[in-house]
Amino acid sequence: MSHLFNHNGAENTGYSQPAPLSSDAMPAVPKGLVRKAAARWPRLSEPEMVRHYTWLSKRNFGIDTGFYPLGSCTMKHNPRVNEVIAQLPGIADIHPHQPEHHLQGLLSIFYEMQHMLEVCAGMDQVTLQPVAGAQGEFTAVRCIQEYFRLRGEEQRTKVIVPDSAHGTNPASAAMSGFEIVEIPSLEDGRMDLEALAAVADETTAAMMITNPNTLGLFEADIKAASEIVHQAGGQMYYDGANFNAILGITSPGLMGFDAVHFNLHKTFSQPHGGGGPGSGPIGVKSHLAPFLPGPLAARRDPTPGELAVAVDEHWYHWEQPEHSIGKVQQWHGNAGAVIRCWAYYRRYGSGLKTMSEHAVLNANYLRHAIHREAKKAGVDHLFVDGAETDVAKHEFTLSMQPAKEALGVSAMDVAKGLLDRGYMAPTVYFPLVVPECMMIEPTETESKDTLDTFAEHFAQVLRTEPEALHEAPITTPVRRVDEVYAARNLCLRHPYDDA
Ligand SMILES: *Cc1c(COP(=O)(O)O)cnc(C)c1O
């Protein structure tokens, strides 16, 4: 198969459309910028170029290729109508520098999205600017920091996180200059209120936690935790990566939180992975709103005689919060991702609750189906201690420790075996508090049939000869990779082949 990486460097002799007749018609390139020698690029014809990218795309695995049960990442189907809407000329062709009266459509969508997120989070003001969950965390933690600075409470230098927290929580707090205080979880993976009470004091700026927690279990004591932190004068921060479990059912506002982030690209569809593209809006209670990064989409009634250009007789405009920490992203965040997620949200409308209900139902169905099938394959007790009788939320963890003891296969082996059966592997070895952890999240967009078949394949992997499983995957373009080496020695260039 011909592609760029095996191209022999020969001159392009294939089909290409003719170059412009005269270069005189082109705007002159400043002299200093004109190339002295031809670029060292492989020379491919147009169809060869198309084949290169098509070949690359076929080596990739995505939600459109197969089931993608990657816990914590919420990989759900992306309805194609979202793409149609995001590509409407009134949205795709506008430039952020255009004046407000050109942007009324986009502004009205932004305004509506801010408002919808405020309602489902129980917060007073949302900004759509951050483009990832992690960036949302950093932004909100910075707002909390400025809030305390303005109040003269600069001795609040600590942020509390449970030991099951996603790594971005302590990382965001540390990047803002806070000291991290980690508290241990209970046996069943839930938060330890006594451990929290022991560390919450006048040096506490905030506690960061997600609910349901990273094990997919609901923290029923969350209000008590909020009270402990508030009584110490600190702020409660909600990591919203697990919103898919609770939308329309409860809200961080009801649980006592002061600030939240959304991972729009998880909860409300949007193709994502490999670091982007995403959107991580944050919502805050009114006391933190003056610190948000701007501009925010705002709305006012038209003044008498003013041309009403807006769709619903309102004027939309950009507004800058009074004590804003400044921008965290160029322009208005990742507008395309916001539009797609708005479309997903809008189609549920007030029925959003069913989205969460189906996500939770699918997770619990799959949890028990895997447990049942694994038991038939001779591996029992995959549930984490104490969690057997619990209802999981939209995702769940299994411990492969019994499989390790009985068969000598690790969570990594099982994950690699699943790749050979055409699945994306679940998240492995996270959260750290579960030994040989596998974390699975089916989302609401998968059918019962898909879940049943996955559970059967999971058991098939457990039935595989351990020696064979240690060799998996054998059907993928690359076999087991050294992930640590790849992360530490990042190289995104392919060497130029002079041969
Ligand atoms: C994904 C995730 C994050 C970080 O979100 P990004 O959008 O990937 O930056 C934070 N916390 C939890 C629990 C997550 O699953």
Side-chain angles (χ1 to χ4, degrees), residues 71-74 131-137 164-169 210 212-214 239-242 261-266 272 275 278-280 395 430 439 441:
S72 209
C73 296
T74 313
V131 298
Q135 196 182 30
E137 291 171 26
S164 65
H166 193 269
T168 51
N169 292 183
T210 174
N213 65 22
T214 46
D239 175 336
N242 295 329
H261 82 255
F262 291 86
N263 302 66
L264 287 192
H265 50 282
K266 295 180 181 175
H272 71 109
S279 179
E395 62 190 357
F430 175 79
M439 187 185 194
E441 177 177 5

Side-chain angles (χ1 to χ4, degrees), residues 10-34:
E11 283 294 306
N12 166 20
T13 54
Y15 163 84
S16 209
Q17 289 185 321
L21 280 182
S22 157
S23 56
D24 297 348
M26 306 283 279
V29 176
K31 257 208 182 109
L33 298 180
V34 175

Side-chain angles (χ1 to χ4, degrees), residues 371-389:
H371 201 249
R372 183 186 63 235
E373 295 301 320
K375 210 166 171 172
K376 286 190 215 156
V379 181
D380 202 359
H381 306 298
L382 298 181
F383 290 162
V384 184
D385 273 355
E388 186 117 10
T389 50

Side-chain angles (χ1 to χ4, degrees), residues 58-121:
K58 287 198 289 197
R59 288 164 68 91
N60 207 358
F61 189 94
I63 186 75
D64 296 341
T65 326
F67 182 42
Y68 209 124
L70 194 65
S72 209
C73 296
T74 313
M75 296 299 236
K76 55 175 76 172
H77 168 66
N78 299 292
R80 293 307 181 264
V81 66
N82 296 1
E83 300 303 319
V84 175
I85 293 169
Q87 276 158 37
L88 291 174
I91 290 169
D93 295 346
I94 50 182
H95 189 279
H97 256 338
Q98 279 177 250
E100 282 166 358
H101 70 273
H102 285 184
L103 303 179
Q104 289 295 301
L106 180 91
L107 269 158
S108 70
I109 290 176
F110 267 44
Y111 181 83
E112 192 171 299
M113 191 64 173
Q114 286 173 194
H115 184 63
M116 294 192 304
L117 295 176
E118 283 154 19
V119 169
C120 66

Side-chain angles (χ1 to χ4, degrees), residues 7 23 57 61 80 94 96 142 144 158 174 182 243 263 280 293 306 349 395 404-405 441 450-451 480 482 490 492-493:
H7 190 68
S23 56
S57 76
F61 189 94
R80 293 307 181 264
I94 50 182
R142 283 283 300 115
I144 290 171
K158 292 183 184 157
E182 192 180 274
F243 254 118
N263 302 66
E306 191 172 43
E395 62 190 357
K404 197 167 190 181
E405 282 158 20
E441 177 177 5
T450 299
L451 304 183
R480 287 198 195 198
D482 183 341
L490 194 63
L492 301 174
R493 289 175 66 223

